[in-house]
Amino acid sequence: MPGRHVKARHRAPRSLKRSVSRLAGDVASSAPQATAAVAVVGAAGVAVGLGTITAVGGGSGQSSPGQASVDRVGLEQTVERNRTDGVSRSLSRPPLVAKQRKSRSEALTATLQEMSGADKVTVAPTDPRDIAMSKLSDFGWSTSEFPCLDALWTRESNWNYRAQNPYSGAYGIPQALPASKMATAGGDYLTNPATQIEWGLTYIQARYGSPCGAWSYWQGYSSY
């Protein structure tokens, strides 16, 4: 009637075991022996598998405990198996990705091992100061001589292998005069800093004994 509110009744969903038990009783009472296929519906309302119930009963629709047999355990196992299979098919497959990552890691490790076993390549220095530092030991000098050499050739040419004195014609890093003197160290003396440095260190050793000896002389005469 208008104005009256009827409270809706909500029935709780039956459990799976209870539904199976009731269905088994119906099958047993309706036929002497019957087998029923049961579609098992999951919580989301989607069928997840099939099970069977077999019942043996009397024609009168009444059965005693010894006359009816229901394969409830088999049904529940089937349901559980189908549910598990359904879930496993929906999962992603991280083991495959992990295997790929492992193979790449192994390949990288193998590559690094091969590289570590290869012959080491020595790269010659290209900066004039680094070249001079690497040659000090060839003349029997320690690295303590380098500050003197650096001060000397910074004043002379600022380590520029193309430096040329516009008045005297002295050329290169060591300011050889004339430039052709450096040909004794190599034919590329006009363009190769290493050749110029080789000649300059030979000149210093022969005349001053060491870079610090040459620098000391230069401080007094502004030349060497």
Side-chain angles (χ1 to χ4, degrees):
M1 294 179 63
R4 295 184 61 184
H5 297 279
V6 180
K7 184 177 182 181
R9 296 183 180 179
H10 299 279
R11 299 181 63 184
R14 298 174 180 174
S15 65
L16 176 61
K17 292 185 179 181
R18 183 178 178 186
S19 298
V20 171
S21 176
R22 180 163 297 183
L23 179 58
D26 294 341
V27 173
S29 63
S30 61
Q33 180 173 349
T35 300
V38 180
V40 180
V41 181
V46 180
V48 297
L50 294 176
T52 60
I53 295 179
T54 301
V56 179
S60 61
Q62 297 181 352
S63 60
S64 63
Q67 292 175 329
S69 175
V70 180
D71 187 9
R72 299 178 183 174
V73 176
L75 176 60
E76 294 173 2
Q77 291 177 347
T78 300
V79 172
E80 185 62 27
R81 182 172 60 256
N82 290 338
R83 181 183 297 128
T84 303
D85 291 344
V87 171
S88 65
R89 293 190 186 98
S90 65
L91 291 177
S92 58
R93 301 182 179 225
L96 180 60
V97 177
K99 183 177 181 181
Q100 291 177 348
R101 289 179 180 174
K102 182 178 180 181
S103 64
R104 292 174 184 173
S105 176
E106 291 174 351
L108 177 60
T109 301
T111 302
L112 292 176
Q113 290 175 349
E114 292 176 1
M115 291 175 63
S116 63
D119 295 336
K120 294 182 179 180
V121 178
T122 302
V123 179
T126 57
D127 184 272
R129 287 181 170 85
D130 293 337
I131 295 173
M133 176 72 79
S134 68
K135 289 180 175 293
L136 290 179
S137 60
D138 296 341
F139 292 85
W141 302 322
S142 68
T143 55
S144 62
E145 291 286 332
F146 182 76
C148 294
L149 181 65
D150 185 30
L152 175 65
W153 282 351
T154 296
R155 298 298 190 284
E156 286 289 314
S157 63
N158 199 28
W159 293 86
N160 181 4
Y161 72 94
R162 293 185 181 276
Q164 185 172 10
N165 190 312
Y167 304 102
S168 66
Y171 185 87
I173 293 174
Q175 288 291 283
L177 183 64
S180 58
K181 284 185 177 181
M182 294 186 291
T184 58
D188 56 351
Y189 63 90
L190 291 176
T191 58
N192 192 341
T195 300
Q196 296 179 4
I197 291 170
E198 182 73 20
W199 180 87
L201 294 178
T202 302
Y203 170 79
I204 289 173
Q205 186 180 50
R207 186 162 184 177
Y208 301 101
S210 67
C212 285
W215 172 236
S216 178
Y217 182 89
W218 191 97
Q219 287 178 303
Y221 297 95
S222 298
S223 64
Y224 73 113

